[in-house]
Amino acid sequence: MKDAALLAVRVLAGGMLVVAFAMLSDTLKPKMFAGLFGAAPSVATASLLVSGLAVGPSKDEKYAMGMIAGAIGLIAYSAAAALAVKHLGSVVGSIVAWAAWIVPAATVFWFFLR
């Protein structure tokens, strides 16, 4: 697909998906859950659409698995950060929690994406 057409798809799909997920997040209660739908799902969906059009569906599987690895790492990071920041402070707790992200994300990568 031509570069200009891919750019148009990226702009339209990305914009529409961001708006759709923002509208969904406005309906959620309590508002702390609104962030779940703020950016990541719309960006991931638009990214997979554009990469699928650009290089075909075979690459989308690897990109989606990378997103899964990152999501698993984010869950581990969030759980570790909730505890580490409380006990170690914001800077040290965040650094310690980052290690909790890299281990599961790298493990998923190592076993499924190599």
Side-chain angles (χ1 to χ4, degrees):
M1 196 172 235
K2 302 259 186 211
D3 288 341
L6 283 175
L7 180 61
V9 169
R10 182 178 295 148
V11 168
L12 291 174
M16 286 188 298
L17 289 167
V18 167
V19 169
F21 279 103
M23 290 172 58
L24 174 65
S25 71
D26 275 346
T27 65
L28 294 176
K29 303 257 191 285
K31 285 298 178 189
M32 66 184 243
F33 292 117
L36 292 172
F37 297 103
S42 56
V43 171
T45 305
S47 177
L48 286 175
L49 172 67
V50 171
S51 69
L53 292 172
V55 294
S58 63
K59 290 281 186 178
D60 274 353
E61 179 184 3
K62 288 185 179 183
Y63 293 151
M65 286 299 295
M67 291 175 189
I68 291 169
I72 291 169
L74 179 60
I75 291 167
Y77 173 84
S78 300
L83 295 172
V85 167
K86 182 178 178 180
H87 296 291
L88 302 173
S90 60
V91 175
V92 175
S94 297
I95 292 169
V96 169
W98 184 78
W101 172 84
I102 195 115
V103 170
T107 301
V108 171
F109 176 80
W110 182 260
F111 285 107
F112 297 105
L113 297 176
R114 288 185 322 137

